[in-house]
């Protein structure tokens, strides 16, 4: 049985005061929840203060990005060990905004995933098709290709640290959500692929989140799908009330 996992991706939002206030508000609101894994992913400059605000809570902290090298002359980048040092346990890798706005490739994403797992971080590995790819009937091919390239070279033991987040690009931040059927179709395909690439036992254990305009209104119907194990929440994770309503609906 997979434990549901709801993560908030704060993206490039908040300041030092509002980040800590949001974290503290969630810690209070969600203190009784023990049937859902919960994480928030603030901007990296606020990781330490958010981790401190959540240190006595059931909410984990994740970063939104990482670099694969250990240290050295990589101006502007942050290593896995640095993230761990701030109190992170998770890291989002391959988010569509990093693929499409910043230009990250599958190969770079694969290196980041491997480095994160090697250092003991838990990657939230994001994949998803563009609207034109869906309209051209290529969703399964695009998503399967991203999964294969992102996980290339990862052995059975290391792969178990991963959460996969299926986030159709056309649904992110647009208010358009995949229907529960559309989400289930792709999640089921991904689980089948994991079974081929690894084995059925591993495929059954890996959690697959849905992301893309997930909100209080659609949480229950998305989570009712057999292969939807959690949510990666952007906009709705920025308000204590919305995010905690979603977590409680799942709990
Ligand atoms: P959204 O973002 O919930 O605002 O659509 C989700 C994400 O990008 O992770």
């Amino acid at each position: 049985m997979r434990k549901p996992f709801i993560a908030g991706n704060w993206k490039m939002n908040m300041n030092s005061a509002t980040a800590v206030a949001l974290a503290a508000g969630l810690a209070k609101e969600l203190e009784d929840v023990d049937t859902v894994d919960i994480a928030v992913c603030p901007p990296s400059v606020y990781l330490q203060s958010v981790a401190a605000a959540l240190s006595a809570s059931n909410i984990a902290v994740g970063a939104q990005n990482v670099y694969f090298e250990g240290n050295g002359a990589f101006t502007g980048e942050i290593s896995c060990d640095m993230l761990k040092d701030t109190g992170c346990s998770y890291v989002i890798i391959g988010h569509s905004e990093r693929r499409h706005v910043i230009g990250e490739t599958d190969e770079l994403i694969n290196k980041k995933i491997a480095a994160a797992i090697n250092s003991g971080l838990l990657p939230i590995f994001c994949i998803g098709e563009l609207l034109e790819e869906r309209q051209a009937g290529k969703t399964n091919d695009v998503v399967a290709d991203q999964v294969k390239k992102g996980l290339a070279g990862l052995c059975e033991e290391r792969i178990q640290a991963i959460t996969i987040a299926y986030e159709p690009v056309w649904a992110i931040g647009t208010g358009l959500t995949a229907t529960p059927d559309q989400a289930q179709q792709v999640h089921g395909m991904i689980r089948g692929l994991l079974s081929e690439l690894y084995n059925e036992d591993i495929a059954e254990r890996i959690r697959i989140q849905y992301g893309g305009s997930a909100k209080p209104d659609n949480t229950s119907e998305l989570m009712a799908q057999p292969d939807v194990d959690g949510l990666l929440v952007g906009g709705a994770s920025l308000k204590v009330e919305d995010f905690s309503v979603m977590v409680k609906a799942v709990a």
Side-chain angles (χ1 to χ4, degrees):
M1 198 43 199
R2 297 177 293 271
K3 188 175 181 185
F5 176 27
I6 312 285
N9 174 9
W10 295 1
K11 307 193 180 185
M12 200 173 73
N13 294 295
M14 299 287 140
N15 61 35
S16 51
T18 57
V20 168
L22 176 55
L26 290 172
K28 187 155 175 283
E29 203 52 49
L30 296 174
E31 65 187 348
D32 295 330
V33 175
D34 58 8
T35 53
V36 179
D37 284 339
I38 314 166
V40 294
C41 304
S44 49
V45 286
Y46 307 131
L47 284 170
Q48 211 154 7
S49 53
V50 167
L54 294 175
S55 62
S57 81
N58 51 356
I59 304 176
V61 178
Q64 300 174 16
N65 183 30
V66 70
Y67 198 57
F68 64 87
E69 293 283 2
N71 62 279
F74 304 102
T75 301
E77 295 298 328
I78 300 177
S79 73
C80 297
D81 283 348
M82 291 172 188
L83 291 183
K84 283 177 34 191
D85 196 29
T86 66
C88 276
S89 38
Y90 291 94
V91 57
I92 298 173
I93 297 179
H95 189 275
S96 90
E97 286 142 24
R98 297 212 58 87
R99 291 177 186 266
H100 300 294
V101 182
I102 314 289
E104 288 194 10
T105 63
D106 290 306
E107 290 67 32
L108 177 61
I109 290 163
N110 176 246
K111 285 185 185 168
K112 292 182 176 195
I113 292 174
I117 296 176
N118 285 345
S119 76
L121 286 168
L122 303 169
I124 300 175
F125 166 38
C126 302
I127 51 185
E129 81 287 1
L130 299 165
L131 182 59
E132 51 270 33
E133 292 166 337
R134 174 162 284 270
Q135 286 169 339
K138 292 186 186 153
T139 299
N140 282 358
D141 290 346
V142 168
V143 171
D145 190 56
Q146 290 172 335
V147 171
K148 285 185 203 155
K149 288 179 173 159
L151 302 183
L154 292 175
C155 66
E156 287 183 9
E157 196 191 322
R158 293 198 299 164
I159 187 71
Q160 304 194 38
I162 276 203
T163 297
I164 292 180
Y166 168 58
E167 300 202 296
V169 179
W170 49 270
I172 296 178
T174 57
L176 286 176
T177 317
T179 65
D181 283 351
Q182 285 172 325
Q184 171 56 31
Q185 187 274 321
V186 180
H187 284 228
M189 184 279 292
I190 296 168
R191 203 175 306 285
L193 179 60
L194 292 171
S195 183
E196 272 171 41
L197 295 174
Y198 296 93
N199 60 53
E200 206 178 318
D201 179 50
I202 287 179
E204 284 304 316
R205 266 191 275 164
I206 291 181
R207 293 185 290 195
I208 308 175
Q209 295 176 320
Y210 167 81
S213 301
K215 45 190 182 248
D217 286 359
N218 54 30
T219 294
S220 298
E221 56 180 23
L222 286 163
M223 290 298 298
Q225 301 304 309
D227 289 299
V228 177
D229 309 314
L231 302 169
L232 182 56
V233 186
S237 73
L238 299 175
K239 286 195 191 135
V240 172
E241 196 190 329
D242 287 351
F243 191 68
S244 43
V245 163
M246 293 171 81
V247 172
K248 286 179 189 171
V250 176

